[in-house]
Amino acid sequence: MAEISHPPMEQLQDLEYCIDSNPPWPETVLLAFQNYILMVGSSAFIPALLVPAMGGSDGDRARVIQTLLFVAGIKTLLQALFGTRLPAVVGGSFAYVVPIAYIINDSSLQKISNDHERFIHTMRAIQGALIVASSIQIILGYSQVWGLFSRFFSPLGMAPVVGLVGLGMFQRGFPQLGNCIEIGLPMLLLVIGLTQYLKHVRPFKDVPIFERFPILICVAIVWIYAVILTASGAYRGKPSLTQHSCRTDKANLISTAPWVKFPYPLQWGPPTFSVGHSFAMMSAVLVSMIESTGAYMAASRLAIATPPPAYVLSRGIGWQGIGVLLDGLFGTGTGSTVLVENVGLLGLTRVGSRRVVQVSAGFMILFSIFGKFGAVFASIPVPIYAALHCILFGLVAAVGLSFLQFTNMNSMRNLMITGLSLFLGISIPQFFVQYWDARHYGLVHTNAGWFNAFLNTIFMSPATVGLIIAVFMDNTMEVERSKKDRGMPWWVKFRTFRGDNRNEEFYTLPFNLNRFFPPT
């Protein structure tokens, strides 16, 4: 047998900056701004989906986007400083859409005739549910319960979970790109061309600008192209979906956004609390924890760091719970998760620096205060972002599957677990999605609306379904006989903070805080 030329490797190759190494300051600032532009797309899309259903106006939507960006900057900074310390951007989560839709369609809110008044009361109800639900994440994180649960993870169990964090986002890829193919497809081809085929072309000194700043370059080119198409009347008389997806003047965000507005806690008024709303929201908190865990695993690999130990993972989940609490206090309209697209950007640019993400958090806070400036980037057509998602989500999925190199994939047991969790992780959520309707609560349809929202949220998350199947089967099928096949000899040293001497370099708290919070 020929010698294997590519044996399993703990760290990815070809990454130029790891978690604690930093590019020069000019590059750092541009990379941080690139992170900001990427996350603005997700931040604008969630309020665009939910605020009109709540009865909000274009001005309300602009203000919610502004608040979401402001709080995202705070959450990202807290996570990078005191949480997992990984270069991960924390922003709005789509996992909260189902329970929020349940709250929006609550009969007590729907009977309010005035749209703006209904928006305010609905926002307060969402805030109250987020505040209560955040306690679950805070408790599971800071009590180390989530860390104890993570000890059941193995490379075999986590590979499909991380893979589904990326693959499960397929609806936000080509289906949205296809709504305006003349904008989305050139964007997709241009990013691939610059980052893969022209990455060694360096027109300015020794900086690989095509590989390092593909989003800045490609978004600028395609956005100008979209403006020209809009101004030339290319979409005059086209269907409303085409106009909404393609035109650059349909968002109505720039005109309604305030010039300067400082988001503050309880800006919508005092939150209202309901037991049913809170229980429904808890399902989204659990889903976001699982999805974020997978994203943290991918971010650690793309930042050339060790997989976060149980203690660090719990610490990160606890701080993410604080983030959900901030969402409830400020009124962002949704909860928090680690943005998968920004994790993928670490691999696309080959820069896993923590400092880049910290500076990016500063941009989020600054540009959210100056509303008009942030609204300019929030008005970028969705198909441009969808093209980026095709690449970045796929990259994160591939990083997840790379954990399989530490397992024995000649084992039928491992093949069964991997294949079944991947297939059902996509198939079951898709089955639930096709039955879900915001007013009818989906496949699970009982008289208890909160119960419907709870189960539909759980089973509409590919990563959650994948984790249930993969981790359960991996810890119940021939466990003792399959320790080596599961990859446990490699994985076990990352279970504890002291298990690998590199953990101290990557995950130690700043300002000598480990004296007061000693790792376990």
Side-chain angles (χ1 to χ4, degrees):
M1 181 184 294
E3 183 181 351
I4 298 175
S5 59
H6 301 289
M9 300 187 71
E10 288 190 357
Q11 296 178 325
L12 294 173
Q13 302 299 296
D14 303 325
L15 297 173
E16 295 195 26
Y17 294 97
C18 68
I19 185 171
D20 51 6
S21 63
N22 304 307
W25 272 108
E27 285 188 46
T28 296
V29 172
L30 288 174
L31 287 165
F33 189 63
Q34 191 167 238
N35 265 282
Y36 165 77
I37 290 178
L38 182 60
M39 71 85 58
V40 164
S42 299
S43 299
F45 191 77
I46 297 175
L49 182 69
L50 297 176
V51 171
M54 295 163 62
S57 63
D58 288 336
D60 295 324
R61 177 164 58 104
R63 192 173 168 191
V64 171
I65 292 172
Q66 191 176 5
T67 304
L68 188 58
L69 287 170
F70 181 80
V71 178
I74 296 174
K75 293 182 295 189
T76 300
L77 199 57
L78 290 174
Q79 188 63 247
L81 284 172
F82 308 116
T84 60
R85 308 215 68 216
L86 288 165
V89 174
V90 182
S93 171
F94 283 86
Y96 290 80
V97 168
V98 174
I100 289 174
Y102 158 65
I103 295 173
I104 290 172
N105 290 288
D106 189 296
S107 58
S108 64
L109 295 169
Q110 283 295 312
K111 68 182 182 183
I112 301 174
S113 56
N114 182 277
D115 282 345
H116 183 69
E117 187 179 346
R118 177 162 58 88
F119 166 75
I120 294 296
H121 281 81
T122 304
M123 179 62 80
R124 292 176 182 177
I126 293 170
Q127 287 181 255
L130 285 169
I131 289 170
V132 174
S134 69
S135 62
I136 298 297
Q137 196 162 0
I138 293 171
I139 292 170
L140 289 177
Y142 291 123
S143 67
Q144 296 295 312
V145 170
W146 190 250
L148 291 174
F149 176 68
S150 72
R151 294 174 185 270
F152 292 98
F153 299 164
S154 71
L156 181 69
M158 288 311 294
V161 174
V162 181
L164 287 166
V165 166
L167 293 176
M169 302 285 191
F170 69 91
Q171 295 280 16
R172 290 170 57 193
F174 212 88
Q176 289 185 351
L177 182 155
N179 290 333
C180 190
I181 199 76
E182 62 268 32
I183 291 176
L185 192 58
M187 180 69 184
L188 177 64
L189 296 176
L190 189 59
V191 175
I192 294 173
L194 289 186
T195 59
Q196 305 306 313
Y197 293 96
L198 298 178
K199 61 184 178 181
H200 298 300
V201 176
R202 304 188 177 189
F204 301 105
K205 297 183 179 180
D206 294 326
V207 180
I209 62 169
F210 294 146
E211 182 180 59
R212 198 76 83 233
F213 312 111
I215 291 179
L216 293 179
I217 297 171
C218 297
V219 166
I221 293 172
V222 179
W223 196 9
I224 291 171
Y225 170 58
V227 170
I228 294 172
L229 287 178
T230 300
S232 66
Y235 304 113
R236 197 171 296 130
K238 297 290 184 180
S240 59
L241 177 61
T242 301
Q243 298 224 20
H244 181 75
S245 300
C246 299
R247 294 183 69 100
T248 57
D249 57 358
K250 278 289 183 182
N252 201 26
L253 284 173
I254 301 173
S255 60
T256 56
W259 280 103
V260 179
K261 184 73 175 180
F262 196 92
Y264 55 91
L266 307 183
Q267 60 186 330
W268 311 107
T272 57
F273 299 92
S274 164
V275 174
H277 295 170
S278 299
F279 272 113
M281 197 67 77
M282 287 177 187
S283 63
V285 167
L286 294 173
V287 166
S288 68
M289 286 169 55
I290 292 170
E291 293 178 348
S292 293
T293 298
Y296 285 137
M297 294 293 178
S300 67
R301 194 146 173 75
L302 288 169
I304 320 182
T306 55
Y311 167 78
V312 173
L313 198 56
S314 279
R315 192 173 71 193
I317 292 299
W319 275 105
Q320 197 171 316
I322 298 292
V324 177
L325 178 61
L326 292 175
D327 288 324
L329 290 173
F330 279 82
T332 62
T334 187
S336 305
T337 194
V338 175
L339 297 185
V340 180
E341 52 267 47
N342 287 83
V343 173
L345 187 60
L346 303 178
L348 188 68
T349 60
R350 303 175 192 263
V351 177
S353 170
R354 182 190 294 125
R355 178 182 290 174
V356 169
V357 168
Q358 292 171 333
V359 176
S360 177
F363 279 127
M364 296 173 209
I365 295 171
L366 178 64
F367 294 144
S368 64
I369 296 173
F370 298 98
K372 294 284 187 188
F373 192 89
V376 170
F377 297 102
S379 64
I380 297 173
V382 172
I384 291 179
Y385 284 109
L388 294 171
H389 292 164
C390 290
I391 299 169
L392 300 175
F393 290 156
L395 185 54
V396 171
V399 170
L401 297 180
S402 73
F403 282 109
L404 292 175
Q405 67 182 302
F406 305 110
T407 69
N408 177 15
M409 291 311 291
N410 292 313
S411 162
M412 284 305 303
R413 170 193 182 274
N414 290 2
L415 291 173
M416 173 61 75
I417 293 172
T418 304
L420 195 63
S421 56
L422 280 173
F423 184 83
L424 291 182
I426 295 175
S427 187
I428 290 176
Q430 183 61 23
F431 179 61
F432 275 76
V433 166
Q434 70 184 19
Y435 282 95
W436 186 75
D437 178 85
R439 293 189 175 273
H440 297 96
Y441 311 129
L443 188 64
V444 181
H445 195 127
T446 67
N447 292 327
W450 66 268
F451 182 75
N452 302 335
F454 192 98
L455 286 187
N456 284 318
T457 301
I458 294 293
F459 289 103
M460 284 170 64
S461 166
T464 304
V465 174
L467 181 136
I468 292 170
I469 296 170
V471 174
F472 176 79
M473 292 181 69
D474 189 36
N475 286 277
T476 56
M477 290 173 54
E478 302 176 335
V479 180
E480 289 301 319
R481 291 176 51 193
S482 305
K483 280 186 177 180
K484 290 185 178 180
D485 289 348
R486 300 167 63 204
M488 291 308 292
W490 172 75
W491 188 267
V492 70
K493 62 184 177 182
F494 304 118
R495 285 182 169 182
T496 62
F497 192 86
R498 308 284 184 196
D500 190 291
N501 55 16
R502 292 170 293 177
N503 290 340
E504 186 173 355
E505 175 189 353
F506 299 138
Y507 300 116
T508 297
L509 291 172
F511 316 122
N512 209 18
L513 289 175
N514 275 59
R515 291 186 306 167
F516 306 103
F517 305 99
T520 57

